[in-house]
Amino acid sequence: MKKHVVRIVGGDYRKTPIPVVEAAGLRPTPDRVRETLFNWLHHFWGGDYADKQILDLFAGTGALGFEAASRGVAHVQMVEVNPSAIAALRALRGRLKAENVRIHAGDALAVLDRLDRASFDLIMLDPPFDQGWLDRVYPRLPDVLRPDGLLYIEAGTPLAPPAGFQLLRQSRAGQVHFHLLRFAATQKTDNNPAIS
């Protein structure tokens, strides 16, 4: 039986296959969803990734984090708890020589509690659905997101923005609803070309 793989869709590592390990709750973000997300980011960041710090909190296969690394972000911190997934992430990072990627083995909430304040320009959340993760994560995000930082969320249903966040974009692919939000919304209009 052929192993399931997804591929990086853009940047320096474009077309690199990412193996999908067998793990409960693991759902790699589909190619077209990642392509849409990075089109959104390109718009809001004006195509400038070089100084961006990103947290991929439920890394899984690493598809989201490696996609960001492929676009040349300064740093991607991946967090994953499943040992098989962690081994696969480390193997892929080594194969790509992706020095802008760090992989942390541990629980998402414990890691959030230890991170430096206002560290990240973007946090990506793709937790296992229907396990209450988002409600547990939301209160910790203001401590680690920079002002006007972005939050990307995948969920099984459309989401209302948590307090202090403004919905910028949302879409759906199959059973996955995905959202891009901005932290500490100052009610800027979408006409502002980029976020500093």
Side-chain angles (χ1 to χ4, degrees):
M1 185 173 161
K2 189 177 177 184
K3 276 195 142 179
H4 181 209
V5 299
V6 294
R7 293 185 184 277
I8 296 173
V9 297
D12 293 343
Y13 309 141
R14 187 172 179 265
K15 296 188 179 178
T16 298
I18 300 175
V20 178
V21 299
E22 293 291 328
L26 193 80
R27 280 176 295 84
T29 301
D31 295 1
R32 68 184 177 130
V33 172
R34 280 180 280 123
E35 186 169 14
T36 299
L37 167 61
F38 281 87
N39 286 341
W40 292 346
L41 294 175
H42 189 87
H43 169 76
F44 287 105
W45 286 345
D48 184 10
Y49 297 93
D51 63 342
K52 302 304 183 204
Q53 305 277 333
I54 294 177
L55 176 63
D56 185 359
L57 195 56
F58 298 86
T61 63
L64 287 168
F66 283 115
E67 197 74 58
S70 182
R71 314 288 175 129
V73 301
H75 177 74
V76 179
Q77 174 76 56
M78 295 186 187
V79 179
E80 178 54 47
V81 72
N82 181 282
S84 298
I86 293 162
L89 291 171
R90 289 178 173 156
L92 182 56
R93 179 186 61 186
R95 197 170 88 227
L96 293 172
K97 298 180 174 58
E99 294 181 6
N100 56 344
V101 173
R102 286 190 60 210
I103 298 163
H104 186 95
D107 174 78
L109 300 181
V111 171
L112 278 175
D113 288 341
R114 289 197 310 267
L115 288 169
D116 293 334
R117 290 185 66 83
S119 303
F120 296 99
D121 301 286
L122 169 65
I123 296 177
M124 298 187 286
L125 301 178
D126 182 14
F129 291 172
D130 303 319
Q131 294 185 20
W133 277 107
L134 294 175
D135 288 338
R136 286 177 277 166
V137 166
Y138 284 157
R140 293 165 164 90
L141 298 182
D143 287 339
V144 296
L145 260 176
R146 291 182 174 153
D148 283 331
L150 299 179
L151 175 63
Y152 171 75
I153 307 172
E154 290 184 24
T157 58
L159 299 175
F165 286 83
Q166 172 191 14
L167 181 64
L168 300 176
R169 298 280 189 274
Q170 73 178 66
S171 191
R172 177 182 179 181
Q175 301 302 309
V176 177
H177 295 261
F178 54 108
H179 316 72
L180 186 67
L181 304 96
R182 178 160 44 208
F183 174 53
T186 51
Q187 302 309 315
K188 295 177 183 175
T189 67
D190 195 33
N191 296 329
N192 290 337
I195 296 168
S196 59

